[in-house]
Amino acid sequence: MIRVGWVWMTWREAMRTALYGPAGFYARGEPPSRHFRTSAHVSSAYAGVMLVLLREVDAALGHPGRLDLVDVGAGRGELLGQLLDQADQAGPDRRLAARIAARAVEITPRPDGLDPRIRWRASPPAAITGLVIASEWLDNIPLDVAELTPDGPRLVLVETGSGEERPGPPPSPADLAWSRAWWPLHTPGDRAELGRTRCQAWAGVVRRITRGLAVAADYGHERAGRPRQGTIAGYRDGRAVRAIPDGSRDITAHVALDACAAAGRAERATATVLTTQRQALRALGVTGRRPPVAQAGSDPLGYARALSRASGEAELIDAQGLGGFGWLVQAVGLDIPAPLTGLGGLPA
């Protein structure tokens, strides 16, 4: 049977078309919050943590007249908007807020009603002095998938309309070298998601930092704990669906964050921490602690607000959910902020 309009592609080509092509999931302006919850959607405490990091970076830079704040993969600009609002509301931060040069990096058109202080652009600035945030960005960078067959590693081809797969040609020499270094294949049937494109994307961000800090937050893994069958998944309308690259859904795969860390170090990153979101946020003051029950009698409205805030914080640091995200933090020309030093790595 010939299915008109359905074609076989490598996973990298299929992801690029399904997400960023003319009718792609992100290119047509789908609001991410309609399909999945990110940390910025769950609680304003996430923006509060990024404001803490921005203060640390500002102090380390000597309080420059202009402080860059760049959100790569900014969605609808929610995180930057919340952060600027919080800086406005905090007395000591008002002078900081006046110096922030906020930039949202996203391929979709600028949404209506966004804070006019936020500049909207399709690529990061060429030179950055300040803080770069990349929350759930790297997992949407297209990549190829290789499977070990009796004839050696082969790229996996996928049919764009059905999600069916079949073996394709061998990976490129560069991808084979990446796999040997970061995701070795041992047994026929083993798969590797070839994250060289993610490493290049992250290196491109770090390369633009003159002095500052870059934070990537994503579901990730390290070499000792790579999943043998990979992690490619689809999301639509708030639930997990089959990973069919037809443009109707988000297509994502977890990130080899240790490989990205090495790519950042090769681009002048002078210090690195690789940890979990749970560890990082707790070190930065997010506890998820519920208010005392007695407050419900004396201040019911305040109690309800505090309970809602605690619920959001708890979701941010839930080890089985968002708290299981990996955090890759790299500094260029600065030290890692003190609260994050000495944190452990991702679970194997």
Side-chain angles (χ1 to χ4, degrees), residues 51 54 66-71 77-90 93-104 110-111 113-121:
L51 181 56
L54 187 64
R66 168 177 147 169
L67 183 64
D68 291 321
L69 173 62
V70 181
D71 186 7
E78 299 95 336
L79 178 59
L80 288 179
Q82 292 172 19
L83 196 154
L84 289 173
D85 284 346
Q86 292 184 32
D88 286 341
Q89 293 165 15
D93 284 328
R94 287 178 184 160
R95 290 185 295 274
L96 171 65
R99 293 185 287 111
I100 294 173
R103 291 176 175 83
R110 180 188 181 95
L114 190 66
D115 189 318
R117 293 174 293 179
I118 300 172
R119 294 182 61 186
W120 198 265
R121 51 188 300 156

Side-chain angles (χ1 to χ4, degrees), residues 13 18 23 46 69 78 105 115 125 156 160 174 198 207 220 284 308 314 334:
E13 295 167 330
Y46 190 71
L69 173 62
E78 299 95 336
V105 179
D115 189 318
V156 176
T160 56
R198 276 98 180 269
R207 187 182 308 128
L284 291 163
S308 175
L334 305 175

Side-chain angles (χ1 to χ4, degrees), residues 19-247:
L19 297 179
Y20 307 114
F25 181 82
Y26 286 111
R28 65 172 180 264
E30 283 285 337
S33 59
R34 182 182 299 167
H35 301 279
F36 49 85
R37 280 159 65 82
T38 69
S39 296
H41 301 139
V42 165
S43 171
S44 60
Y46 190 71
V49 162
M50 294 304 174
L51 181 56
V52 170
L53 288 179
L54 187 64
R55 289 192 205 107
E56 294 269 352
V57 171
D58 184 46
L61 291 171
H63 309 289
R66 168 177 147 169
L67 183 64
D68 291 321
L69 173 62
V70 181
D71 186 7
V72 183
R76 308 287 287 180
E78 299 95 336
L79 178 59
L80 288 179
Q82 292 172 19
L83 196 154
L84 289 173
D85 284 346
Q86 292 184 32
D88 286 341
Q89 293 165 15
D93 284 328
R94 287 178 184 160
R95 290 185 295 274
L96 171 65
R99 293 185 287 111
I100 294 173
R103 291 176 175 83
V105 179
E106 190 56 84
I107 66 166
T108 58
R110 180 188 181 95
D112 294 334
L114 190 66
D115 189 318
R117 293 174 293 179
I118 300 172
R119 294 182 61 186
W120 198 265
R121 51 188 300 156
S123 59
I128 300 167
T129 301
L131 175 65
V132 181
I133 305 165
S135 294
E136 299 184 64
W137 170 62
L138 287 170
D139 67 306
N140 286 131
I141 301 295
L143 47 60
D144 275 323
V145 177
E147 181 171 326
L148 186 59
T149 74
D151 298 321
R154 291 290 185 269
L155 293 179
V156 176
L157 303 181
V158 60
E159 191 178 40
T160 56
S162 69
E164 294 176 20
E165 294 179 334
R166 72 184 186 195
S172 69
D175 277 334
L176 284 172
W178 187 94
S179 177
R180 284 193 294 269
W182 295 107
W183 198 325
L185 298 170
H186 300 292
T187 306
D190 284 357
R191 287 188 167 201
E193 290 161 355
L194 302 172
R196 185 172 61 91
T197 49
R198 276 98 180 269
C199 292
Q200 291 173 333
W202 181 249
V205 168
V206 173
R207 187 182 308 128
R208 295 166 187 257
I209 300 176
T210 305
R211 291 183 71 208
L213 195 72
V215 179
D218 244 310
Y219 280 121
H221 40 62
E222 295 187 83
R223 193 179 191 277
R226 305 281 191 230
R228 290 185 59 188
Q229 292 301 305
T231 63
I232 286 183
Y235 293 92
R236 183 174 62 193
D237 299 328
R239 60 189 180 90
V241 295
R242 281 192 63 205
I244 300 175
D246 60 359

